[in-house]
Amino acid sequence: MKSGSLRLDRFFPRFFLGFLAAALLLLCQPAFAEKRVALVLANSAYQNVAALTNPVNDGTVMAATLKDAGFDVVDFRRDLLAAETRRALRDFADRARDADIAVVYYAGHGIEVDGANYLIPVDARLERDTDVYDEAFSLDRILIAIEPVRKLRLVILDACRDNPFAKSMKRTVASRAIGQGLAKVEPSSPNMLIAYSAKAGSTAADGDGKNSPFTIALSRHLTTPGLDVRRAFGFVRDDVLKSTGNRQEPFVYGSLGGDDVPLVPAPARAAQPPAPTAQSEARRDYELALQVGNKSALNAFLAQYPDGFYASLAKLQLEKIAAEETRVAATEKARLAEQERARLVAEGAQKAQQAKADAAAGAAEQARLAAEKAKQIAQDQAAAAEQKRAAAETLPSDKTAAAPAPADKEMNLAALNAGPPQADVTKSVQAELRRVGCLTGAADGDWNSSSQRSLMLFNRYAKTKFDTRLASTDALDAIKLKTSRVCPLVCERGFKADGDRCSKIACAEGAFLNDDNECEKRTARKPVARRDRPEAKRVIARPSHAPTSPRTAAGLPGMGQSGEPLTGEQRVWGCNTNSAIMSGKCP
């Protein structure tokens, strides 16, 4: 018994040590990788409206991007019917049930009816507005499919195109609204983001190439290792604004927590980051507030950091946002005033009413220009402050954060809104001048003498005072407010203005087109006396009582060589000289 008890005493310590070693080994193993799944839907071959070119190309690019990023599941479906779409969503919901990150990307037609968004399969007809409930599937159906996902639910919609269904759809109820683009959404579930290729209520461009500008930017930034998904969409927004000349602005709805949420984890770092300081925490929180980019985020930052360098930056950003809101309101007011003025002119209202409308439109335009200048000043101040911050953050730690930025320091911050390139502004101004009838040339980005004359004409007829030497955003906004032709139509000779086109002038029989470009009746020609031939000599007839001789009578008007009167045929042929008669031409 004693020997047995000794063997058990030896066994239990060895067992305990082995168990402890196994537990430590398990604890030291890296954490299990997150499960990431994606569904890519692309509809191009629509059966009842014109086919789309880019959606399938965009879906192919996004599927390849997510596969290269190491997603566990990437299900790519193209040109699905309504029943096939519902089946694909049901299958994906099963795969996403235990996932940490789920991404759904859709490219194709979408529509908004009464504030709800619907994605349209390729077999939809949508002859009536109520058909969307049967032939399309709502955005909520996608959100339900990814609802069990734990960490991030991301829905990306490249479906803000100009929708042909909305134009031909019959409305069963006159009050039912069918909007342009997609409607704004507010996700009710946490950890959910919904990204639109264009802001709610606006449409997106397919682009001039094989892929849309939105998808090109997504493939460039979305799967950057370690990049928070919110910052990735900030870079996507900047790229799309730049490539479309500020005409298309992507937008993201929803919110996440304070931790970074990248689609692709950052590579492991060898060294631990330094312990955060009060200044570094303020900087981090300021950058997060700047990334959100609205008043609530900046005010929340100021509530936590009321003083200091980053508090001053936040206040400048708030002033920039307020100036932009004022500009938008003033622009809308000017647009409405211009519409009212044009309506009164078209309806032939009284001169007093038209004068009042002209005064209101002029005042609204002046307010818009003042708001534009205030916005530019606020934006310049915020940009200068961000330059100073960028320079300060590159200095050694023993330098003050308020050090001035060098003159040649270039900004490379995604949070700053860079203005559009001058060439894009020039093309946009030329295109708008063509629309209002002030420019006949092409919108080629070359601000030549013809373009300057066209802006001078716009100034004359719209009663504005823009500098014609350069195409500006102020001029662009003012021209966009005009809803109809501003400059009168000028036609070439032989043509006259007929509405918005030139038609050829057809004169009636017996009339001709004069130098004033008008038809004028021809007048009958009166007989005009003609001079004799050059060799004929003008001879004054002698008086009837004067004596004549064969020598003196020859060559007199009406007399022949012998002094005899000329016959009628001789007069017609001009046979009143000796040389003419001798030439043999006279009868």
Side-chain angles (χ1 to χ4, degrees):
M1 290 293 294
K2 186 175 181 180
S3 61
S5 63
L6 289 175
R7 286 194 295 270
L8 289 174
D9 292 340
R10 294 171 183 167
F11 171 77
F12 279 109
R14 291 178 181 174
F15 174 76
F16 177 75
L17 290 174
F19 176 78
L20 182 60
L24 288 175
L25 183 62
L26 290 175
L27 291 175
C28 293
Q29 291 293 325
F32 290 103
E34 296 175 334
K35 181 178 179 181
R36 298 171 297 165
V37 295
L39 174 63
V40 178
L41 302 175
N43 288 340
S44 286
Y46 281 90
Q47 300 174 2
N48 301 301
V49 293
L52 296 174
T53 303
N54 282 352
V56 168
N57 298 335
D58 294 338
T60 303
V61 169
M62 285 306 301
T65 300
L66 296 172
K67 287 179 181 178
D68 294 340
F71 270 62
D72 301 281
V73 174
V74 179
D75 187 6
F76 178 30
R77 306 290 187 91
R78 53 182 291 174
D79 296 330
L80 295 184
L81 306 178
E84 295 171 342
T85 303
R86 293 185 176 88
R87 191 178 307 115
L89 287 174
R90 184 180 60 209
D91 296 341
F92 184 71
D94 294 336
R95 295 173 178 175
R97 193 172 303 279
D98 59 342
D100 297 284
I101 294 176
V103 178
V104 178
Y105 172 88
Y106 173 81
H109 276 311
I111 192 171
E112 178 240 324
V113 178
D114 270 347
N117 297 314
Y118 296 86
L119 308 183
I120 304 176
V122 295
D123 59 340
R125 293 183 178 276
L126 300 185
E127 298 175 348
R128 297 176 297 274
D129 51 7
T130 54
D131 290 345
V132 295
Y133 308 121
D134 302 319
E135 300 178 10
F137 56 98
S138 69
L139 176 59
D140 291 337
R141 179 66 185 87
I142 293 180
L143 303 184
I144 292 172
I146 61 176
E147 192 172 18
V149 176
R150 291 186 289 266
K151 187 175 180 180
L152 173 64
R153 311 177 188 100
L154 175 59
V155 178
I156 305 172
L157 301 179
D158 193 359
C160 303
R161 296 170 172 83
D162 191 9
N163 193 341
F165 290 100
K167 299 177 181 178
S168 61
M169 184 183 296
K170 296 179 181 179
R171 288 164 172 76
T172 58
V173 178
S175 60
R176 180 171 287 116
I178 300 176
Q180 183 182 27
L182 298 179
K184 180 180 179 181
V185 292
E186 291 294 343
S188 57
S189 301
N191 301 330
M192 178 175 288
L193 295 179
I194 302 176
Y196 287 0
S197 58
K199 187 183 293 186
S202 60
T203 56
D206 267 352
D208 299 328
K210 185 178 179 181
N211 299 105
S212 71
F214 181 60
T215 297
I216 293 174
L218 282 175
S219 63
R220 187 178 301 158
H221 299 292
L222 189 60
T223 57
T224 302
L227 181 63
D228 179 70
V229 66
R230 289 160 291 193
R231 294 199 65 196
F233 277 110
F235 292 130
V236 169
R237 169 189 174 275
D238 292 345
D239 282 6
V240 174
L241 281 174
K242 182 177 180 180
S243 62
T244 61
N246 281 11
R247 293 187 298 273
Q248 178 181 337
E249 180 183 6
F251 215 83
V252 179
Y253 301 92
S255 64
L256 299 178
D259 295 334
D260 286 354
V261 184
L263 286 186
V264 179
R269 295 182 179 179
Q272 292 293 331
T277 63
Q279 186 76 354
S280 64
E281 289 181 355
R283 171 186 171 185
R284 181 199 64 189
D285 293 346
Y286 171 73
E287 289 179 347
L288 287 174
L290 195 63
Q291 182 62 38
V292 175
N294 56 32
K295 286 184 175 180
S296 300
L298 292 169
N299 285 326
F301 173 80
L302 286 174
Q304 187 172 356
Y305 304 95
D307 301 313
F309 177 65
Y310 291 101
S312 300
L313 294 179
K315 291 175 184 177
L316 288 175
Q317 293 295 333
L318 282 173
E319 292 176 3
K320 186 177 79 169
I321 293 175
E324 173 63 14
E325 291 177 348
T326 303
R327 185 197 70 81
V328 171
T331 301
E332 179 64 15
K333 186 176 180 180
R335 185 183 68 82
L336 295 176
E338 176 63 23
Q339 284 185 349
E340 178 65 14
R341 186 195 67 79
R343 184 186 67 81
L344 292 175
V345 172
E347 293 178 357
Q350 296 180 356
K351 291 185 177 180
Q353 290 180 324
Q354 294 187 24
K356 185 177 179 181
D358 288 342
E365 178 64 16
Q366 293 299 322
R368 186 193 68 79
L369 293 176
E372 191 73 41
K373 292 180 180 178
K375 173 223 170 180
Q376 188 63 43
I377 292 173
Q379 185 170 340
D380 291 344
Q381 290 176 345
E386 285 295 322
Q387 279 186 317
K388 183 181 293 186
R389 176 172 81 92
E393 289 172 355
T394 60
L395 294 176
S397 57
D398 58 343
K399 301 295 183 181
T400 177
D408 59 347
K409 179 71 176 177
E410 293 184 357
M411 289 171 35
N412 189 17
L413 300 174
L416 292 181
N417 293 328
Q422 183 59 38
D424 294 340
V425 174
T426 301
K427 286 184 179 180
S428 299
V429 172
Q430 289 174 328
E432 290 298 319
L433 287 172
R434 282 178 57 86
R435 182 181 62 82
V436 297
C438 298
L439 177 65
T440 57
D444 54 4
D446 181 15
W447 193 251
N448 50 27
S449 58
S450 176
S451 299
Q452 294 176 16
R453 283 196 303 272
S454 68
L455 184 55
M456 181 184 66
L457 289 174
F458 179 83
N459 283 335
R460 179 191 303 172
Y461 293 105
K463 299 179 180 179
T464 55
K465 297 181 180 180
F466 295 112
D467 187 357
T468 60
R469 294 172 297 179
L470 182 69
S472 64
T473 55
D474 290 342
L476 177 62
D477 291 340
I479 302 171
K480 284 183 176 180
L481 292 175
K482 304 301 181 182
T483 58
S484 58
R485 172 181 286 274
V486 173
C487 299
L489 182 62
V490 178
C491 299
E492 297 179 357
R493 173 174 171 78
F495 294 83
K496 64 179 180 179
D498 185 8
D500 286 336
R501 63 186 184 88
C502 294
S503 59
K504 189 173 183 180
I505 299 175
C507 295
E509 185 177 359
F512 68 99
L513 192 68
N514 61 17
D515 293 338
D516 294 329
N517 208 37
E518 297 177 348
C519 290
E520 181 179 337
K521 187 176 181 181
R522 296 184 183 275
T523 56
R525 291 187 177 182
K526 297 180 179 179
V528 179
R530 298 178 61 184
R531 300 186 64 178
D532 293 334
R533 299 170 66 92
E535 63 270 20
K537 295 182 180 179
R538 187 175 180 184
V539 181
I540 301 176
R542 295 175 62 87
S544 59
H545 62 274
T548 61
S549 66
R551 182 180 179 185
T552 58
L556 291 177
M559 304 295 292
Q561 176 69 20
S562 59
E564 297 176 355
L566 297 175
T567 64
E569 291 181 345
Q570 290 175 328
R571 291 178 182 275
V572 172
W573 287 92
C575 300
N576 58 344
T577 62
N578 292 337
S579 59
I581 296 173
M582 293 298 293
S583 66
K585 296 180 180 179
C586 297

